[in-house]
Amino acid sequence: MTSSIPHLSLVSLLAACMQSAQLGLEPGVLGHSYLVPFWSQKHGSYDVQFIIGYQGYVELFYRSEKVTSVVAREVCENDHWTQSYGIEDHMEHRPARSDRGDPHTYYGLVRLSNHDHILHVMNLEEIAERRAQSRAADTGPWKTHPRAMSRKTVIRALVPFVPKTAVLAEAVIVDESVPVALYPNMAAELAAQPSYLEVGEAPEGEAPEPAPEGPEEDPGPAPESSPGDAEA
């Protein structure tokens, strides 16, 4: 989100940040989650969409004691690749040493503590179908990190088959949503604020005052309490 955004919904921004914090995911650099603005005709402002990244889902999977390993990879045109489903799933992937070509398939593999595993494979058509359902299909991480988002898509498709945790179940519900729920005290505080932010500009008459020069005044020692005060 940059200063070029003229009207940004304060409620959706804070709610998205809170949702990320509740899941224990850090937006931005780590790739756990992203906060992507999009224009809302209904609200007349930019709302913030909360998107969990590939690394975010990997982090959530590892919080289950029953999960020992999570990987998601792309298979490219010049890689060696064979895969089949059955009573015993089979998959063999040997990436080309150079000039791998473009991806044509993505797969996710989860290994469990009971030595079992769960494999899921998606082709580009299936990835594109999932991408088209996102409000941020042509912006945000889908535009800047398409391979990472494709890996995230195949990992997310594994969620129904892996051991459940409360936080993972919540993640699937809120992923790529526009959260609006706030804590009651924060909601009351926001009620007195503008419904949108002029990003990069302070509201007229509300520019921060410079800090006073010189040391702060010493308030002196705190008054001693009497036994009578302690009993009150």
Side-chain angles (χ1 to χ4, degrees):
M1 290 175 289
T2 69
S3 59
S4 63
I5 304 175
H7 294 80
L8 183 64
S9 167
L10 177 60
V11 171
S12 69
L13 173 61
L14 292 182
C17 290
M18 289 169 56
Q19 189 64 74
S20 192
Q22 288 171 352
L23 294 175
L25 302 177
E26 186 170 342
V29 178
L30 296 180
H32 283 177
S33 62
Y34 303 89
L35 308 180
V36 181
F38 70 95
W39 180 255
S40 170
Q41 293 287 353
K42 178 180 179 181
H43 300 141
S45 65
Y46 281 92
D47 287 343
V48 178
Q49 184 177 27
F50 174 68
I51 299 178
I52 300 176
Y54 161 59
Q55 295 293 343
Y57 270 104
V58 170
E59 169 69 21
L60 295 176
F61 272 51
Y62 275 126
R63 292 181 192 174
S64 170
E65 296 179 355
K66 297 181 180 180
V67 173
T68 61
S69 175
V70 183
V71 296
R73 299 187 178 104
E74 62 266 26
V75 183
C76 298
E77 294 168 333
N78 298 326
D79 294 351
H80 169 79
W81 165 255
T82 59
Q83 180 266 328
S84 62
Y85 291 125
I87 295 177
E88 294 291 337
D89 293 344
H90 169 79
M91 186 271 289
E92 184 178 6
H93 178 208
R94 294 200 304 269
R97 292 182 178 271
S98 62
D99 188 22
R100 294 181 62 194
D102 295 328
H104 62 76
T105 302
Y106 286 83
Y107 67 90
L109 178 64
V110 175
R111 292 185 175 90
L112 305 176
S113 58
N114 63 358
H115 305 293
D116 200 357
H117 70 272
I118 306 169
L119 172 68
H120 189 70
V121 179
M122 298 181 72
N123 58 38
L124 294 186
E125 290 76 13
E126 292 168 319
I127 297 289
E129 182 180 350
R130 180 63 187 86
R131 175 177 180 172
Q133 297 173 12
S134 172
R135 292 180 179 177
D138 299 315
T139 186
W142 270 117
K143 183 176 181 179
T144 58
H145 301 89
R147 291 196 181 189
M149 288 299 289
S150 297
R151 291 194 292 268
K152 170 258 181 92
T153 300
V154 75
I155 285 291
R156 178 177 174 172
L158 283 165
V159 171
F161 308 104
V162 299
K164 295 295 186 297
T165 62
V167 68
L168 186 57
E170 181 183 358
V172 174
I173 294 173
V174 302
D175 188 16
E176 302 193 15
S177 68
V178 181
V180 294
L182 296 170
Y183 293 127
N185 58 337
M186 182 173 288
E189 189 173 319
L190 285 174
Q193 304 299 323
S195 59
Y196 63 85
L197 293 176
E198 291 287 354
V199 181
E201 300 180 4
E204 185 177 355
E206 296 186 11
E209 298 181 0
E213 299 181 358
E216 296 183 358
E217 182 180 354
D218 185 0
E224 298 182 359
S225 58
S226 64
D229 293 333
E231 296 174 358

